Amino acid sequence: MTMTTAEADKILADNFAPWVLDLGLSVQAVGDDRALLRLPWSDRLAREGGALSGQALMAAADTATVIAVSAARGAYGPMTTVQQSTTFQRAVTGSDVLVQAVVTKLGRRTAFADITLTDEASGELAAHASTVYALLG
């Protein structure tokens, strides 16, 4: 049974630090092995020059991975980031970012995911990340 966006939003609300919640992320869609989150544009997340900060993009990718892994497992369970690699391809200015995380391998103790971060206004790829998670429970 596929997780609903309401269930995924509850995972977000119940399991993340207040500063992550301050990013304003919302779950747009959830599939059996994926999650699509929206990172809304905010001047508070912009760095000098007006571009969205890399730290905000990396936190959004990391958070989307937790939702995607939870969807793939059928429920949230304790997990932790082991590795995240992010490449930034273009600046995002004044636009929301769509964060698509896809679980590429789900094992008993680890999960791997591929994340794309797309500038919603232009449709251009802003960043790409890959993550490895340890599944703790």
Side-chain angles (χ1 to χ4, degrees), residues 22-73:
D22 286 346
L23 295 173
L25 292 163
S26 62
V27 180
Q28 303 295 292
V30 184
D32 291 337
D33 64 349
R34 65 195 62 229
L36 177 67
L37 278 63
R38 174 182 302 277
L39 173 62
W41 171 260
S42 169
D43 289 332
R44 290 187 59 218
L45 301 178
R47 60 183 179 80
E48 188 175 329
L52 193 62
S53 75
Q55 294 94 332
L57 292 169
M58 291 176 73
D62 194 56
T63 304
T65 300
V66 172
I67 302 301
V69 170
S70 296
R73 296 177 82 194

Side-chain angles (χ1 to χ4, degrees), residues 32-114:
D32 291 337
D33 64 349
R34 65 195 62 229
L36 177 67
L37 278 63
R38 174 182 302 277
L39 173 62
W41 171 260
S42 169
D43 289 332
R44 290 187 59 218
L45 301 178
R47 60 183 179 80
E48 188 175 329
L52 193 62
S53 75
Q55 294 94 332
L57 292 169
M58 291 176 73
D62 194 56
T63 304
T65 300
V66 172
I67 302 301
V69 170
S70 296
R73 296 177 82 194
Y76 175 79
M79 63 185 90
T80 190
T81 311
V82 173
Q83 183 273 335
Q84 179 174 330
S85 176
T86 307
T87 57
F88 301 98
Q89 303 195 11
R90 67 184 29 82
V92 176
T93 307
S95 174
D96 290 359
V97 175
L98 298 177
V99 185
Q100 172 91 26
V102 178
V103 176
T104 57
K105 181 175 184 204
L106 180 63
R108 289 184 317 134
R109 300 258 183 232
T110 57
F112 298 78
D114 187 61

